Amino acid sequence: MFKKISLVFIAALVITSCAKEEVPLKVTPNDYNNAVDKVTEVIIHDIFSPPVASRIYSYSNIAAYEVLAQNNSDYVTLAGQLTDLKETPKPDAGASVNYDVAALIAQMEIAKSLIFSEDRITEMRDSLYMKWEDQNPTELAASKDYGLKVADHIKSWMDGDMYKQTRTMPKFSVNPDNPSRWQPTPPAYMDGIEPHWMKIRTFVIDSASQFKPIPPPEFSMEEDSEFYKQLMEVYTVRNEMSDEGNDSEKVAIAQFWDCNPYVSTHKGHLMFATKKITPGGHWVGIVKIATKKANADLMETVYAYTKTSIALFDGFISCWDEKYRSNLIRPETLINQHIDDSWAPVLQTPPFPEYSSGHSVVSGAAAEVLTQIYGDNFQFDDDTETAYGLPIRSFDSFRQASSEAALSRLYGGIHYRAAIDEGLKQGRQLGQFVVKNLIMKTNTAQASN
């Protein structure tokens, strides 16, 4: 009898020793950076326009932030602050939720629902699931349930933002009889993109027109008019940059901030696209640089991505509202028609009206948010464009970077001075409004920074 009991006891010990001990799951800031990088990779692959890309970044980051904020008393939920966003659901009582894991799952689920190439995010997600399942299946199951619950909540809210309705609205109608109105530009002569983006529901600003800029200079081809002077500035700056490599720094600035997701290239009868990052994607990349330099933990990393992407999202709505209101013709069109039919800008002119400058608006907005988080003298080396063969550029502050991004549009030959200056002002005012009105940290947490 004793022998039988001993054998049973030994067998139990063997089984126990063979059972793998579950370890707490861990998500690092770099894991989250990789997830955002994957979103950028897919946005580039799928060729989403800048406004649509901002929507993908913002909703996926908001989902992650909302998960983490439920478990961190230093941070405040966005429910009740972002337009129409209701209270975020809590996990089931007693569930062994790892909020970091749940946040990353929510981010991936929302991103996957907003892009075409779902398999690229699914592959990344499944790789993480396999690793987590091996480490702690119990914690993974609970975290997955909660992450998907929050993702469903964000999806329900997202569905009310008018995006789906704008997919079926009519194309932008060009008015060829009015010489001041926008016309499609070479080489692809594409239709104006997202002419109804001002109808998208905003997050923090109260309407698309809240930060409506002053009108552009009155259209006139009279040589003493302000409009004509600004047109000639674009023409002259470009010509000076063509002289035997002069002003190579201006060329470098223009190319660094190009951020055109679809550059058409013609070879014979064939046309193909060179795919690149969007303006919002460039600033999302700067968030990564800043959080890594600041050695931010996961919560602060997600916070910085989320607040910046919210400003970018509202910035595009504000800018696109003005673009299709003023509906101003691009410099390239007028220069080719009236001054020099062989003139071409350094950069390919994007397919939408000129005023105000999208780069100026969203760069100004993003820089204000990042300045609030990391201060006005945050030096950083911007390597966002190295993947496209461009060298690193260094900046002493986010506002300095935003000013250069705005001015790059003059050097690129695609914007008049007014669109740049007023666009930057528009974006900074919007960014300051987001900083003031979107409370994401408690008073105690803000005081400790």
Side-chain angles (χ1 to χ4, degrees):
M1 181 67 177
F2 177 75
K3 188 175 181 180
K4 287 183 179 179
I5 293 173
S6 297
L7 289 172
V8 171
F9 179 70
I10 291 169
L13 283 176
V14 171
I15 292 170
T16 303
S17 64
C18 291
K20 191 165 184 178
E21 180 183 358
E22 292 189 332
V23 297
L25 302 180
K26 186 176 182 181
V27 174
T28 67
N30 198 49
D31 291 328
Y32 196 81
N33 288 330
N34 290 341
V36 176
D37 285 347
K38 179 60 68 173
V39 172
T40 297
E41 174 193 307
V42 177
I43 286 172
I44 294 168
H45 178 270
D46 289 350
I47 318 180
F48 285 107
S49 69
V52 176
S54 76
R55 183 173 182 264
I56 300 169
Y57 286 123
S58 58
Y59 281 118
S60 55
N61 284 318
I62 288 168
Y65 176 86
E66 279 300 291
V67 171
L68 293 176
Q70 306 306 310
N71 193 47
N72 193 315
S73 59
D74 287 339
Y75 289 82
V76 180
T77 178
L78 298 172
Q81 297 196 78
L82 302 186
T83 306
D84 298 335
L85 180 59
K86 307 302 182 186
E87 183 179 359
T88 298
K90 304 292 189 288
D92 295 337
S96 56
V97 173
N98 181 314
Y99 285 84
D100 295 353
V101 171
L104 188 52
I105 289 172
Q107 186 267 355
M108 291 186 291
E109 179 63 23
I110 293 297
K112 185 167 67 70
S113 72
L114 292 172
I115 47 88
F116 301 139
S117 302
E118 295 182 24
D119 57 304
R120 291 174 176 245
I121 291 179
T122 300
E123 182 179 358
M124 178 182 187
R125 181 203 65 188
D126 290 349
S127 176
L128 289 170
Y129 279 178
M130 286 180 63
K131 181 179 76 172
W132 291 333
E133 180 72 33
D134 185 56
Q135 293 173 341
N136 195 326
T138 304
E139 198 169 86
L140 171 60
S143 305
K144 182 179 177 182
D145 286 346
Y146 185 53
L148 295 178
K149 180 188 288 189
V150 173
D152 286 342
H153 175 69
I154 297 299
K155 286 178 184 178
S156 178
W157 168 58
M158 191 170 66
D159 281 346
D161 73 354
M162 286 293 291
Y163 177 78
K164 290 180 179 177
Q165 291 86 335
T166 60
R167 301 308 89 189
T168 61
M169 291 178 181
K171 291 182 179 181
F172 180 63
S173 178
V174 176
N175 183 355
D177 298 325
N178 188 329
S180 72
R181 300 308 184 201
W182 178 79
Q183 298 175 30
T185 49
Y189 297 93
M190 294 171 62
D191 292 329
I193 66 167
E194 300 298 341
H196 306 286
W197 199 254
M198 72 292 293
K199 299 179 177 71
I200 300 294
R201 179 183 60 198
T202 58
F203 284 150
V204 182
I205 62 176
D206 60 31
S207 69
S209 61
Q210 182 178 356
F211 292 97
K212 176 182 175 182
I214 62 171
E218 183 178 357
F219 177 83
S220 172
M221 294 303 289
E222 296 294 327
E223 292 186 4
D224 62 346
S225 70
E226 178 60 27
F227 181 86
Y228 188 81
K229 290 175 182 176
Q230 292 196 16
L231 173 66
M232 288 305 297
E233 181 185 25
V234 177
Y235 177 69
T236 302
V237 167
R238 172 67 180 98
N239 288 348
E240 290 174 349
M241 292 163 62
S242 301
D243 294 339
E244 300 298 328
N246 289 347
D247 293 316
S248 58
E249 174 68 0
K250 293 179 180 178
V251 174
I253 289 171
Q255 292 174 341
F256 185 78
W257 293 101
D258 183 14
C259 305
N260 187 340
Y262 186 95
V263 175
S264 304
T265 303
H266 291 263
K267 285 193 174 181
H269 296 292
L270 299 177
M271 183 178 75
F272 59 93
T274 299
K275 302 178 184 180
K276 290 187 287 186
I277 202 168
T278 65
H282 192 133
W283 280 96
V284 166
I286 291 174
V287 174
K288 175 183 174 180
I289 294 165
T291 54
K292 289 180 74 172
K293 180 175 180 179
N295 199 26
D297 62 15
L298 180 64
M299 182 73 243
E300 183 184 312
T301 297
V302 175
Y303 159 67
Y305 275 120
T306 304
K307 197 161 192 175
T308 305
S309 62
I310 286 171
L312 290 168
F313 181 85
D314 275 0
F316 274 112
I317 295 173
S318 176
C319 182
W320 253 243
D321 177 58
E322 180 56 40
K323 279 187 178 297
Y324 285 96
R325 178 191 297 109
S326 54
N327 188 17
L328 186 61
I329 195 166
R330 289 276 184 170
E332 181 176 16
T333 306
L334 288 179
I335 292 170
N336 288 162
Q337 288 176 349
H338 301 284
I339 301 169
D340 182 351
D341 61 8
S342 65
W343 185 92
V346 173
L347 304 179
Q348 193 169 114
T349 302
F352 36 80
E354 193 271 345
Y355 188 85
S356 52
S357 157
H359 265 64
S360 303
V361 174
V362 301
S363 295
E368 291 304 305
V369 168
L370 286 167
T371 299
Q372 181 222 3
I373 298 173
Y374 292 115
D376 197 25
N377 298 304
F378 190 94
Q379 189 281 331
F380 65 98
D381 299 323
D382 187 353
D383 62 357
T384 310
E385 300 288 336
T386 55
Y388 310 102
L390 297 171
I392 294 170
R393 293 189 67 81
S394 298
F395 301 98
D396 293 326
S397 71
F398 301 111
R399 287 176 176 143
Q400 182 194 28
S402 69
S403 294
E404 183 178 283
L407 190 57
S408 74
R409 316 319 275 164
L410 174 65
Y411 298 157
I414 60 179
H415 275 295
Y416 311 110
R417 176 75 65 171
I420 294 162
D421 293 347
E422 296 304 324
L424 191 58
K425 186 187 302 183
Q426 178 185 356
R428 286 178 173 168
Q429 290 174 347
L430 186 150
Q432 290 162 11
F433 184 84
V434 171
V435 165
K436 181 180 178 180
N437 291 276
L438 185 61
I439 308 303
M440 296 175 68
K441 281 190 173 183
T442 63
N443 291 333
T444 303
Q446 290 183 41
S448 65
N449 288 346

